[in-house]
Amino acid sequence: MAPKARPLLLLVLWMLPAPAQPGPGNENDGGWQRRGAGAPAAVAEEERCTVERRADLSYAEFMQHYAFSRPVILLGLTDNSRFRALCSRERLLASFGNNVVRLSTANTYSYQKVDVRFQEYVEQLLHPQDPTSLGNDTLYFFGDNNFTEWASLFRHYIPPPFSLLGTTPAYSFGIAGTGSGVPFHWHGPGFSEVIYGRKRWFLYPPEKTPEFHPNKTTLAWLQDTYPTLTPSTRPLECTIQAGEVLYFPDRWWHATLNLDTSVFISTFLS
Ligand SMILES: *[C@@H]1O[C@H](CO)[C@@H](O)[C@H](O)[C@H]1NC(C)=O
Ligand SMILES: *[C@@H]1O[C@H](CO)[C@@H](O)[C@H](O)[C@H]1NC(C)=O
Ligand SMILES: *[C@@H]1O[C@H](CO)[C@@H](O)[C@H](O)[C@H]1NC(C)=O
């Protein structure tokens, strides 16, 4: 091999796509989980799951049983391993570190928006949720995406293949720290997929308005209100893993809690 060839070969290998994550529970966290001394423990996972999980659901079954009536977790419909590889911490920082992203406060009615460089968000603001701080004081990167600047990433995302008549899909991409989440709110129907990490969901049908404070964090609600709920006032709930997609119907109340530093993308149908 010529002396110059080896560095070139290494460069070519480095540029090849990273190996895909085979599935949930895998060690490949895209570099988003900080381990070692001083790393905060992930929020404990709750085994209870009262949302149905369906593998390889047909469109007819989706429309008949879920689209207008209840949430469902979809498995095996799409393979976003390519998109996942592009969403590693290192790759996103290399491609978008200098882009300005718009952060929102993590409360029910998110009025305040803050613009920061993506690198600053990842390196300085993406920390675990402080359980004593309020949702309206917590900044969260979700939605308000610039689809022109980030087009080279979003074109690799394969959305869930189910559409609803008369609606247009719109993506909302986010990255958030351990223990963060958005408290109860509702809007139109959509899907939410976890790319890295785990996200716990709490859902109530439109007619069952939950008890919550719009400026408190989901973590505070989980600690203060959730334990007081009786079986008949508990939400539907489940923790979804990388590669799983949760569908929420129109106007269903929902709150989320990221159990790890999470990368996620929603497809809103409106
Ligand atoms: C956050 O909400 C609390 C309680 O609703 C309120 O007292 C406080 O002023 C708000 N903080 C900010 C920064 O808006
Ligand atoms: C929530 O916080 C916002 C400002 O962040 C404030 O204007 C609003 O009144 C608060 N809501 C409640 C119910 O305290
Ligand atoms: C998105 O980014 C482009 C290119 O930097 C910029 O011209 C445009 O104003 C941005 N759009 C929004 C909605 O911020």
Side-chain angles (χ1 to χ4, degrees), residues 18 21 27 36 45 49 56 96 105 111 116 130 138 156 173 191 202 208 213 223-225 239 241 256 259:
Q21 184 183 38
E27 283 300 278
E45 181 164 349
C49 175
D56 306 317
F96 306 106
T105 52
Y111 330 80
V116 298
D130 173 353
T138 303
H156 292 283
F173 177 73
F191 303 93
F202 305 94
K208 269 183 103 173
H213 187 293
Q223 284 164 0
D224 304 340
T225 307
T239 298
Q241 319 269 340
T256 56
L259 301 190

Side-chain angles (χ1 to χ4, degrees), residues 155-170:
R155 71 189 170 86
H156 292 283
Y157 181 63
I158 306 165
F162 299 157
S163 61
L164 294 180
L165 195 65
T167 67
T168 311

Side-chain angles (χ1 to χ4, degrees), residues 105 107-109 111-112 134-137 213-216:
T105 52
N107 51 343
T108 294
Y109 312 103
Y111 330 80
Q112 209 201 327
L134 285 161
N136 55 335
D137 281 329
H213 187 293
N215 285 342
K216 286 194 178 163

Side-chain angles (χ1 to χ4, degrees), residues 14 31 34 40 47 65 75 78 89 126 153 161 216 220-221 254:
W14 176 75
R34 296 306 185 80
E47 290 298 315
H65 298 294
L75 312 175
T78 50
R89 188 176 188 276
L126 188 60
L153 176 69
K216 286 194 178 163
W221 175 86
H254 54 278

Side-chain angles (χ1 to χ4, degrees), residues 68-122:
F68 306 105
S69 47
R70 57 199 147 118
V72 61
I73 296 161
L74 305 167
L75 312 175
L77 292 178
T78 50
D79 176 0
N80 273 301
S81 48
R82 170 76 184 137
F83 181 74
R84 176 167 302 110
L86 295 172
C87 288
S88 70
R89 188 176 188 276
E90 194 179 0
R91 291 239 181 159
L92 287 186
L93 283 175
S95 305
F96 306 106
N98 283 319
N99 289 33
V100 170
V101 292
R102 176 154 292 187
L103 312 178
S104 308
T105 52
N107 51 343
T108 294
Y109 312 103
S110 183
Y111 330 80
Q112 209 201 327
K113 308 276 180 182
V114 175
D115 291 345
V116 298
R117 276 174 63 241
F118 180 64
Q119 182 171 353
E120 187 187 334
Y121 176 67
V122 170

